[in-house]
Amino acid sequence: MNIDEDTSAWLGCPTPLEMYKHQCAMLEDELTTAYQLLKKARANIAGLVQMNDLLATEKAAAESQLRSVSADLSRVHVQGSEMSKQIMSLKIIASQNEHLHIENQRLLLELSVLRGPRS
């Protein structure tokens, strides 16, 4: 047996040039796929940037509205406190009025008892 004999052609093994061409074709396919993915990613990024801009604008508007509503709420709270003070004052006056009315009725009853029956 002669071991030095070239047997690569016997089994249909590719030549080094065929292997390089095949490797180049595979790299070209990978680059094409990578380019398509990169293009899609860039489009996604552009869409995300637009969404971010829109959200930032809406956030600024919502914050402005929140400040306005907070100011209104604070003003209404102050007015409510003032009205509560007035209501408490009126309740005190009403209580005093009721007390004076009861006292007046009691005094009228005592006076009518002291004067006696009217003829």
Side-chain angles (χ1 to χ4, degrees):
M1 268 176 86
N2 188 358
I3 298 177
D4 293 334
E5 189 176 347
D6 186 17
T7 60
S8 62
W10 292 1
L11 301 174
C13 292
T15 63
L17 179 62
E18 290 173 333
M19 288 191 302
Y20 289 136
K21 285 182 179 181
H22 179 68
Q23 183 67 26
C24 285
M26 286 178 23
L27 288 173
E28 285 176 351
D29 288 343
E30 286 181 22
L31 285 174
T32 301
T33 303
Y35 178 74
Q36 290 170 350
L37 291 173
L38 179 62
K39 187 176 179 181
K40 187 184 286 186
R42 285 180 178 162
N44 288 342
I45 290 170
L48 290 172
V49 167
Q50 288 177 346
M51 288 171 58
N52 185 46
D53 290 343
L54 179 63
L55 289 173
T57 303
E58 290 176 358
K59 179 184 176 235
E63 287 174 342
S64 174
Q65 187 177 8
L66 176 63
R67 283 190 296 273
S68 174
V69 169
S70 293
D72 289 345
L73 181 62
S74 178
R75 181 181 47 78
V76 168
H77 181 69
V78 169
Q79 287 176 349
S81 295
E82 291 297 322
M83 292 177 84
S84 178
K85 289 177 187 176
Q86 290 176 356
I87 289 171
M88 288 304 296
S89 297
L90 290 174
K91 283 184 176 181
I92 291 170
I93 291 171
S95 173
Q96 290 172 350
N97 183 27
E98 182 67 25
H99 176 71
L100 289 175
H101 180 69
I102 292 170
E103 186 65 22
N104 188 26
Q105 292 300 318
R106 187 187 64 78
L107 290 173
L108 284 174
L109 183 61
E110 283 182 16
L111 185 61
S112 67
V113 169
L114 290 175
R115 285 189 181 165
R118 291 189 182 175
S119 344

